Amino acid sequence: MEEIRAVITGTLNNFKKLAGDEVEKGETIAEIESMKMLIPVEAPNTGKLVEWSVVEGEFVNENDSIGMLD
Protein backbone atom coordinates (compact mmCIF):
# COMPACT_ATOMS: atom_id res chain seq x y z
CA MET A 1 0.00 0.00 0.00
CA GLU A 2 1.07 3.56 -0.66
CA GLU A 3 0.20 6.73 1.23
CA ILE A 4 -1.46 9.64 -0.50
CA ARG A 5 -0.03 12.89 0.84
CA ALA A 6 -1.23 16.49 0.89
CA VAL A 7 0.63 18.55 -1.69
CA ILE A 8 0.05 21.87 0.12
CA THR A 9 -1.28 23.22 3.41
CA GLY A 10 -4.98 24.03 3.23
CA THR A 11 -8.50 22.66 3.51
CA LEU A 12 -9.41 19.39 1.83
CA ASN A 13 -12.23 20.67 -0.31
CA ASN A 14 -13.43 17.98 -2.67
CA PHE A 15 -12.98 14.24 -3.10
CA LYS A 16 -13.08 13.32 -6.78
CA LYS A 17 -12.71 9.59 -6.02
CA LEU A 18 -14.04 7.46 -3.17
CA ALA A 19 -12.75 4.36 -1.39
CA GLY A 20 -12.96 1.38 -3.72
CA ASP A 21 -12.53 3.42 -6.91
CA GLU A 22 -9.80 2.52 -9.39
CA VAL A 23 -7.47 5.44 -10.18
CA GLU A 24 -4.78 6.12 -12.77
CA LYS A 25 -1.38 7.61 -11.94
CA GLY A 26 -1.60 11.41 -12.21
CA GLU A 27 -5.42 11.48 -12.08
CA THR A 28 -6.92 14.19 -9.86
CA ILE A 29 -8.47 12.39 -6.88
CA ALA A 30 -9.11 15.35 -4.55
CA GLU A 31 -8.63 19.10 -4.24
CA ILE A 32 -7.13 21.22 -1.49
CA GLU A 33 -8.18 24.85 -1.13
CA SER A 34 -5.28 27.12 -0.27
CA MET A 35 -5.30 30.92 -0.53
CA LYS A 36 -8.65 30.74 -2.40
CA MET A 37 -7.17 28.45 -5.08
CA LEU A 38 -8.01 24.78 -5.67
CA ILE A 39 -4.87 22.66 -5.87
CA PRO A 40 -5.29 19.13 -7.30
CA VAL A 41 -4.13 16.06 -5.39
CA GLU A 42 -3.03 13.50 -7.97
CA ALA A 43 -2.85 9.73 -7.59
CA PRO A 44 0.81 8.78 -7.02
CA ASN A 45 0.32 5.49 -8.92
CA THR A 46 -2.32 3.42 -10.67
CA GLY A 47 -4.36 1.31 -8.25
CA LYS A 48 -7.39 1.12 -6.02
CA LEU A 49 -8.21 3.84 -3.49
CA VAL A 50 -8.38 1.98 -0.18
CA GLU A 51 -9.42 4.83 2.14
CA TRP A 52 -9.34 8.50 2.93
CA SER A 53 -7.96 9.19 6.42
CA VAL A 54 -9.42 12.72 6.50
CA VAL A 55 -12.86 14.18 5.83
CA GLU A 56 -13.91 16.93 3.46
CA GLY A 57 -13.48 20.31 5.10
CA GLU A 58 -10.58 19.14 7.28
CA PHE A 59 -7.42 21.28 7.47
CA VAL A 60 -4.25 19.46 6.37
CA ASN A 61 -0.59 20.39 6.38
CA GLU A 62 1.71 19.85 3.43
CA ASN A 63 2.92 16.23 3.30
CA ASP A 64 0.26 14.94 5.77
CA SER A 65 -0.97 11.44 4.98
CA ILE A 66 -4.55 11.83 3.74
CA GLY A 67 -5.30 8.40 2.28
CA MET A 68 -4.10 4.99 1.12
CA LEU A 69 -3.74 3.49 -2.35
CA ASP A 70 -3.35 -0.22 -3.11
Side-chain angles (χ1 to χ4, degrees), residues 20-58:
D21 288 348
E22 295 290 330
V23 299
E24 296 291 324
K25 182 178 181 174
E27 180 178 6
T28 298
I29 56 176
E31 294 175 329
I32 296 175
E33 184 176 349
S34 182
M35 299 184 338
K36 298 187 181 189
M37 294 176 54
L38 292 177
I39 310 301
V41 176
E42 297 178 349
N45 280 307
T46 297
K48 183 177 180 179
L49 182 59
V50 176
E51 69 177 2
W52 289 111
S53 54
V54 295
V55 295
E56 283 188 21
E58 188 172 336

